[in-house]
Amino acid sequence: MATAPDRLLRRLEWKLGRRLDGRLQGAYRTVWHGTGIDFTDLREYTPEDDVRHIDWNVTARLDEPHVRQYTEDREMTAWFVIDRSASMRFGREAGKESVATELAIGLARLVARGGNRVGAILFDNVSQQVIPPRGGRDQILRIARELTSPPKQPADKNTTDLAAMLRLAANVTRRRRSLIFVMSDFIGDPGWDRSLAMLTHRHEVVVIRVVDPSELELPDLGLILVEDAETGETVLVDTSDPLLRGRLADQVSAREDTLAEGMRTAGVRPHRVTTDQDLLAVLIDMVRRSGR
């Protein structure tokens, strides 16, 4: 009998096969420069470069060390860095966590179809799990199984340390340049932009920010009891109060501006996905926008 992760993967494979096959045909080249066999360019040496790539003839002629750049091998390693903190369980249907799960599994299956390797880093303040990259359908099933399993420990009552999540990703992936998908609602401690910039310095990073529409505009529901998913604090609010709605709208606008500035600082253009969107349409749009 098929397990829940297997049924989820089969459903996504069927939908992806019908709607994305025609968009993923043909060979491709990575945008990275590194340890391939096709020479592409020369540039000045930096302390981070491998000395084995120094072109000594050019260095002697220009009296400045230069390194040779190559197009990376076609095979790629992709990592999925997924925020599993308490705030990700908020939202309609099964919440933001469910959206991140389906997107991660769908994207992982697309990446693995080309013979590429896929790994995952699942993070919350209490526990972190690293699934080493491998190829094949069984690896996607393993990731799906972990993502659909309930947390092994109670949720932490502190806001998410996003910088720690990104530092962990940088440490785990330091040996090989990779394509890294970061999936989070980016609700957490400030200061994550520097850690994200460190990640983008070496890797190609795709940020997918998952939000619920009610986080962007408070619905008019009258008196309701609201609980902070991260800290557990509860408060009774009148969602019909125009003064409250105005203050919250200002706070949302300020938060969005801060997030946008942090992404610009890190050199990333994030994809924003809401819990009420068609996820297959989101995947198609991401494939179209990335061009591969």
Side-chain angles (χ1 to χ4, degrees):
M1 184 175 178
T3 62
D6 188 58
R7 290 194 298 271
L8 174 60
L9 180 54
R10 287 182 185 179
R11 174 168 60 83
L12 290 171
E13 284 176 331
W14 183 77
K15 290 183 177 181
L16 289 170
R18 292 187 60 198
R19 297 177 64 177
L20 284 177
D21 267 349
R23 299 170 185 263
L24 298 173
Q25 300 300 323
Y28 62 87
R29 282 181 183 268
T30 173
V31 297
W32 300 309
H33 295 285
T35 57
I37 59 174
D38 296 330
F39 169 75
T40 55
D41 201 2
L42 283 164
R43 63 170 173 78
E44 289 188 6
Y45 172 83
T46 63
E48 295 82 13
D49 290 324
D50 189 334
V51 295
R52 292 175 297 178
H53 295 160
I54 292 178
D55 188 312
W56 296 107
N57 291 330
V58 175
T59 296
R61 188 166 64 249
L62 299 179
D63 202 26
E64 289 284 346
H66 279 67
V67 294
R68 297 171 67 88
Q69 288 185 292
Y70 301 87
T71 302
E72 283 279 10
D73 297 330
R74 177 176 172 181
E75 181 183 309
M76 133 178 107
T77 299
W79 285 90
F80 290 84
V81 181
I82 303 174
D83 177 2
R84 300 199 74 197
S85 61
S87 65
M88 287 292 287
R89 294 173 207 137
F90 173 79
R92 64 185 65 190
E93 301 296 336
K96 293 177 285 186
E97 187 175 59
S98 174
V99 171
T101 293
E102 292 208 13
L103 274 177
I105 295 170
L107 285 166
R109 190 68 185 108
L110 289 177
V111 171
R113 278 175 20 161
N116 302 304
R117 302 188 307 156
V118 176
I121 299 171
L122 314 183
F123 181 93
D124 63 39
N125 286 343
V126 177
S127 62
Q128 299 85 45
Q129 182 178 6
V130 176
I131 302 174
R134 290 180 56 191
R137 192 174 187 274
D138 286 347
Q139 174 74 346
I140 312 303
L141 273 175
R142 180 186 175 187
I143 295 172
R145 187 162 53 247
E146 295 297 339
L147 285 172
T148 54
S149 299
K152 297 180 176 62
Q153 299 185 48
D156 185 35
K157 292 302 181 181
N158 296 311
T159 53
T160 310
D161 191 346
L162 296 170
M165 179 181 78
L166 296 168
R167 286 196 302 269
L168 173 63
N171 184 55
V172 169
T173 61
R174 70 183 184 277
R175 293 185 179 179
R176 180 185 176 97
R177 291 185 182 182
S178 305
L179 171 62
I180 300 179
F181 295 90
V182 178
M183 297 183 169
S184 173
D185 54 11
F186 283 86
I187 295 175
D189 296 333
W192 49 264
D193 51 333
R194 181 176 298 180
S195 298
L196 182 58
M198 291 175 60
L199 201 61
T200 60
H201 178 71
R202 178 167 176 76
H203 305 283
E204 183 175 357
V205 178
V206 177
V207 170
I208 301 174
R209 181 181 164 220
V210 186
V211 300
D212 189 81
S214 60
E215 295 174 321
L216 303 174
E217 182 178 0
L218 183 68
D220 188 348
L221 301 172
L223 280 172
I224 60 171
L225 191 65
V226 178
E227 178 181 353
D228 187 319
E230 297 272 308
T231 65
E233 181 183 357
T234 59
V235 62
L236 185 67
V237 298
D238 181 5
T239 58
S240 303
D241 182 356
L243 205 59
L244 172 68
R245 296 177 66 83
R247 286 203 306 268
L248 286 176
D250 290 342
Q251 290 176 6
V252 168
S253 179
R255 183 187 68 199
E256 293 297 303
D257 290 344
T258 301
L259 272 166
E261 179 59 30
M263 295 294 176
R264 280 193 296 270
T265 300
V268 172
R269 295 180 61 186
H271 299 265
R272 190 173 78 178
V273 179
T274 58
T275 55
D276 60 350
Q277 283 184 274
D278 176 2
L279 296 188
L280 267 299
V282 170
L283 281 170
I284 290 172
D285 183 60
M286 289 183 67
V287 170
R288 179 182 58 79
R289 288 171 61 185
S290 67
R292 61 185 169 279

